[in-house]
Amino acid sequence: MKKSNNSSTLPYFVGVVFALMLILVYISPLKFLAPSGSKTATHSNPNTYTSKVKVNPQNNNSREPTTRDPLSLVASGHLNLIKLSGSGSGSGTGTFCALNFDKHTQDPSTYPMFRDLVKVSKCDSSSNTYNIPLDDAVRAARDYDKEHSISSSLPRGFVFHESRCGSTLAANSLAVAADDHRVYSESAPVPTAVRTGKVNTIRDVIYLMSRGPGGEAAKTFFKFQSIMSLSMDLILKAFPQVPWIFVYREPVQVMMSHLKGAGGGTRGGGTPNCAKAKSNPNSEVVEIFKRHRQNIKRATNEMFCAAHLSTLCESAVKNARHSGGLGRLVNYEGLVESLKTDIIPSHFNVPVASKGAKRIDEVGGVYSKARKPGTEWVEDSKKKEEQASEQVVEASDIFLKQVYIDMLKKGQ
């Protein structure tokens, strides 16, 4: 009987299989770094993805991370979401980079807006950013939190606003009230998430942005773009427990901040931001023109601007009425003192120590969006009212007067 040779060939086949596995691991390491069932993270520049991720140890106020895998750095909170794209059919793709929040905390008037923070953190360079499917990033972050027994926390507060009303002063004050505060001032990802109309996407985006280094929850605040006031219902549905404020100002003063002083003409002779949608108005503006029996087709910039601002204010009043005290309407008049002694410590429930109070007073004395250190703020409310044209005053009376009175009453 012929002896089987299976025992002699088995080690050979085992060796071949093992060699093939080593080759696969060598040629595609990133696939093994990504979570099971996920797509591989890609560098904004695919040709340089294999290089180590550069993380500034000052960015994120963090300890030096122990990994250089982009997805792991997102999971541990060392890379921050700075952009959301391609979210039409799914959750989309997030662009991540290490933001240097110290810059904003130390000097918010020099880096007042999210785009300024992105630039100073060198996150406007593709060599420092990484594109990762949002679902993968959220899954990795939640797995990290579960593994390290970290409880995800809600943002400490939201800031909605009318525009040109002191909202950046509010954001800057929040940034300096304590060293561990993080403020997103009109960030890019949130509006993109809101436009999807998906509550879960809004939750995922704000969850990722609210995580600090090591996955720890940061004391995070969001100041949204003024147009987001029309989407308050959706945002507050996603976060019904988060306290929020809506900052507003006397109508003529806001109008004059959008329009140039003398004669009510526009800044630089162009169309002001508040009237740029005049050729394609949203349904809220159309409705408010009908309610006030005004012809939208013949609307001046002043009339359209006032109507647009009124839609933002009316949305705030409506949501404040049903907020159970979580929503506050905050007037520009006396804003700094209100933030320091009431809004931040009592409404947002964040203690303000003497150092924080002093810094709030300091940011209140400089121009909030100066982008140059030490630019002194000059109060201009009276000047705006004196220079307002008849068209500005008339438009304000028609569209903004009553809602301003309503906000004053609700804010008391």
Side-chain angles (χ1 to χ4, degrees):
M1 183 175 180
K2 189 175 181 179
K3 188 177 182 180
S4 171
N5 62 355
N6 286 346
S7 61
S8 63
T9 59
L10 182 60
Y12 170 77
F13 286 112
V14 171
V16 170
V17 171
F18 183 71
L20 289 173
M21 290 178 65
L22 286 176
I23 292 172
L24 287 173
V25 172
Y26 177 75
I27 63 175
S28 56
L30 293 178
K31 292 182 180 178
F32 290 86
L33 290 173
S36 175
S38 71
K39 296 179 181 179
T40 302
T42 60
H43 197 293
S44 297
N45 181 348
N47 296 324
T48 60
Y49 178 74
T50 54
S51 62
K52 298 290 186 181
V53 178
K54 298 176 181 178
V55 179
N56 185 336
Q58 292 182 345
N59 289 7
N60 293 316
N61 302 312
S62 70
R63 54 186 176 274
E64 182 71 14
T66 58
T67 179
R68 287 295 185 272
D69 166 41
L71 189 58
S72 297
L73 287 170
V74 169
S76 65
H78 288 91
L79 288 181
N80 311 105
L81 180 64
I82 64 169
K83 182 181 178 182
L84 180 65
S85 57
S87 54
S89 56
S91 294
T93 299
T95 300
F96 295 84
C97 182
L99 291 171
N100 191 341
F101 286 97
D102 284 347
K103 290 289 187 181
H104 186 236
T105 302
Q106 292 166 3
D107 191 3
S109 66
T110 300
Y111 310 102
M113 310 301 283
F114 182 71
R115 62 180 180 272
D116 301 308
L117 179 60
V118 168
K119 185 175 181 179
V120 74
S121 303
K122 299 182 180 179
C123 290
D124 54 348
S125 170
S126 61
S127 63
N128 295 325
T129 60
Y130 296 83
N131 296 326
I132 300 174
L134 186 69
D135 289 340
D136 292 356
V138 172
R139 186 184 305 113
R142 295 198 186 281
D143 287 346
Y144 183 98
D145 289 352
K146 183 177 181 180
E147 179 183 351
H148 294 81
S149 300
I150 297 172
S151 299
S152 62
S153 90
L154 299 171
R156 290 304 184 97
F158 293 151
V159 178
F160 297 94
H161 58 100
E162 184 182 7
S163 77
R164 306 294 177 90
C165 59
S167 62
T168 304
L169 172 59
N172 292 356
S173 297
L174 287 166
V176 302
D179 293 337
D180 57 350
H181 283 194
R182 171 186 294 186
V183 179
Y184 286 99
S185 189
E186 304 193 14
S187 64
V190 175
T192 305
V194 168
R195 283 193 291 271
T196 70
K198 300 174 182 177
V199 169
N200 285 339
T201 300
I202 298 171
R203 286 176 180 155
D204 287 344
V205 164
I206 290 182
Y207 158 69
L208 285 176
M209 297 174 75
S210 298
R211 299 173 75 251
E216 297 174 359
K219 291 181 180 177
T220 309
F221 300 86
F222 288 82
K223 186 197 91 168
F224 302 117
Q225 290 84 346
S226 62
I227 195 65
M228 288 294 99
S229 297
L230 293 180
S231 301
M232 290 175 74
D233 290 353
L234 191 60
I235 295 172
L236 298 178
K237 183 179 180 181
F239 293 94
Q241 295 173 296
V242 174
W244 57 272
I245 64 173
F246 178 85
V247 185
Y248 67 96
R249 190 175 181 178
E250 195 281 327
V252 170
Q253 294 173 16
V254 176
M255 289 280 286
M256 291 301 292
S257 291
H258 279 281
L259 306 165
K260 192 176 178 180
T266 62
R267 292 178 179 272
T271 303
N273 289 334
C274 57
K276 284 187 175 179
K278 192 162 65 169
S279 61
N280 186 30
N282 58 36
S283 58
E284 291 86 355
V285 170
V286 171
E287 191 279 330
I288 205 168
F289 265 91
K290 289 181 179 178
R291 193 195 324 153
H292 288 278
R293 298 181 181 180
Q294 299 295 319
N295 189 339
I296 193 171
K297 293 182 179 179
R298 294 203 297 259
T300 61
N301 284 342
E302 290 83 0
M303 294 289 276
F304 192 93
C305 184
H308 163 72
L309 295 173
S310 182
T311 64
L312 307 182
C313 296
E314 289 188 357
S315 177
V317 171
K318 180 188 73 173
N319 281 280
R321 284 172 178 162
H322 303 288
S323 70
L326 285 174
R328 293 274 302 272
L329 307 178
V330 182
N331 195 350
Y332 169 80
E333 189 71 27
L335 180 59
V336 171
E337 193 64 23
S338 177
L339 287 166
K340 187 173 58 175
T341 62
D342 180 20
I343 299 301
I344 298 177
S346 301
H347 188 58
F348 289 147
N349 199 28
V350 178
V352 178
S354 57
K355 176 184 175 182
K358 181 180 179 181
R359 292 207 65 200
I360 291 173
D361 286 334
E362 289 172 352
V363 300
V366 299
Y367 178 44
S368 298
K369 292 182 278 192
R371 294 184 172 87
K372 293 181 181 180
T375 304
E376 184 179 355
W377 166 251
V378 179
E379 175 57 45
D380 61 350
S381 297
K382 185 176 180 180
K383 181 179 179 181
K384 290 180 186 298
E385 294 178 6
E386 291 174 347
Q387 293 184 336
S389 67
E390 292 181 4
Q391 291 86 351
V392 168
V393 174
E394 180 185 17
S396 300
D397 285 346
I398 292 173
F399 292 107
L400 287 166
K401 184 177 181 179
Q402 185 56 53
V403 72
Y404 178 69
I405 293 172
D406 293 342
M407 289 189 292
L408 287 173
K409 290 180 179 179
K410 182 65 181 174
Q412 290 176 348

